[in-house]
């Protein structure tokens, strides 16, 4: 857990301190409903499960000359008991994720600006208290080894900025978004995510 806290503090420091305020920058919070895909292990598979995770978000223009492109930087945290399928694996999960996604605005219709994006999910996960579970749902055998690992996933996203207020430099933004995370380095957290963010 100490490693997770250290990684989180370092990520938060990088997210907040390496950027100077600029026109078009936004900071905010997000609530994400993640439908976690099952993970295959040699001892069995974990469950697919729906859970909530929370995060902080920072956006900024990629180029001052083209306001259709911007960076989406998010820091998300998740702690969840992963229920086991029959003859599968029970485990407890702690995950810290830094997400870096360039986005492109497709158009602008009144207060709505739909966009698409693709980028990377960089995470650190701890899978602890791991047990094999039989077909009746009971743990058996010896406790399995904990897993601590860094994970990289590919992210595809589509959403829309909903602007609140008439001042282009001061309005708030509500952002519903659908993302899919595909694990590409170390088999870990992946799945479909529905999120709502509020940016200031």
């Amino acid at each position: 857990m100490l490693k997770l806290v250290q990684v989180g503090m370092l990520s938060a420091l990088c997210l907040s301190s390496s950027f100077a305020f600029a026109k078009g920058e936004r900071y905010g919070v997000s609530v994400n409903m993640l439908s976690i895909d099952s993970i295959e292990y040699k001892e069995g598979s974990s469950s697919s499960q729906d859970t909530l995770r929370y995060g902080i978000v920072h956006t900024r223009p990629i180029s001052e000359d083209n306001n259709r492109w911007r960076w989406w930087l998010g820091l998300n945290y998740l702690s969840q008991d992963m229920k086991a399928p029959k003859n599968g694996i029970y485990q407890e999960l702690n995950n810290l994720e830094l997400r870096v996604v360039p986005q492109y605005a497709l158009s602008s219709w009144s207060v709505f600006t739909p966009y698409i994006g693709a980028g990377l999910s960089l995470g650190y996960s701890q899978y602890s208290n791991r047990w094999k579970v039989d077909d009746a749902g009971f743990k058996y055998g010896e406790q399995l080894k904990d897993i601590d690992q860094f994970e990289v996933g590919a992210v595809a996203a589509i959403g829309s900025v909903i602007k609140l207020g008439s001042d282009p430099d001061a309005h708030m933004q509500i952002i519903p978004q659908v993302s899919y995370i595909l694990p590409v380095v170390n088999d870990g957290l992946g799945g479909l995510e529905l999120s709502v963010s509020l940016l200031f």
Side-chain angles (χ1 to χ4, degrees):
M1 190 62 188
L2 182 58
K3 286 183 181 178
L4 191 61
V5 171
Q6 290 172 339
V7 171
M9 291 176 63
L10 182 61
S11 299
L13 185 64
C14 292
L15 191 63
S16 61
S17 66
S18 60
F19 303 107
F21 280 97
K23 183 177 178 180
E25 278 190 300
R26 298 284 182 268
Y27 292 88
V29 294
S30 65
V31 178
N32 316 291
M33 188 176 79
L34 176 63
S35 183
I36 302 173
D37 290 341
S38 174
I39 303 172
E40 295 293 331
Y41 299 103
K42 63 181 181 181
E43 302 90 352
S45 61
S46 68
S47 65
S48 41
Q49 189 165 329
D50 295 337
T51 186
L52 288 177
R53 67 176 171 183
Y54 304 91
I56 56 175
V57 176
H58 171 68
T59 64
R60 63 185 289 115
I62 291 177
S63 170
E64 294 292 340
D65 299 322
N66 187 342
N67 62 7
R68 284 182 176 266
W69 287 96
R70 74 173 181 177
W71 290 108
W72 177 282
L73 304 166
L75 185 65
N76 298 310
Y77 177 71
L78 168 65
S79 181
Q80 180 71 39
D81 291 350
M82 302 294 292
K83 298 174 184 176
K86 291 182 179 180
N87 299 308
I89 302 295
Y90 168 86
Q91 56 191 359
E92 295 171 5
L93 166 65
N94 286 287
N95 170 263
L96 188 69
E97 179 213 36
L98 175 64
R99 190 172 302 183
V100 182
V101 180
Q103 297 175 336
Y104 178 73
L106 299 173
S107 185
S108 185
W109 305 318
S110 183
V111 297
F112 299 96
T113 305
Y115 64 83
I116 57 174
L120 292 176
S121 165
L122 309 171
Y124 177 73
S125 293
Q126 293 179 324
Y127 303 89
S128 59
N129 197 17
R130 305 176 68 241
W131 295 88
K132 289 183 182 178
V133 172
D134 62 22
D135 56 6
F138 294 103
K139 300 174 184 176
Y140 70 94
E142 295 184 355
Q143 184 172 344
L144 302 176
K145 184 179 178 182
D146 291 350
I147 298 174
D148 292 358
Q149 64 183 18
F150 287 97
E151 300 168 353
V152 179
V155 179
I158 184 169
S160 179
V161 175
I162 303 172
K163 302 171 188 174
L164 304 176
S166 57
D167 184 346
D169 293 324
H171 62 245
M172 292 190 299
Q173 299 177 351
I174 296 176
I175 304 175
Q177 179 174 275
V178 179
S179 306
Y180 187 76
I181 304 115
L182 177 68
V184 292
V185 175
N186 288 331
D187 198 9
L189 278 190
L192 186 67
E193 180 185 77
L194 306 176
S195 66
V196 177
S197 302
L198 178 62
L199 302 184
F200 300 90

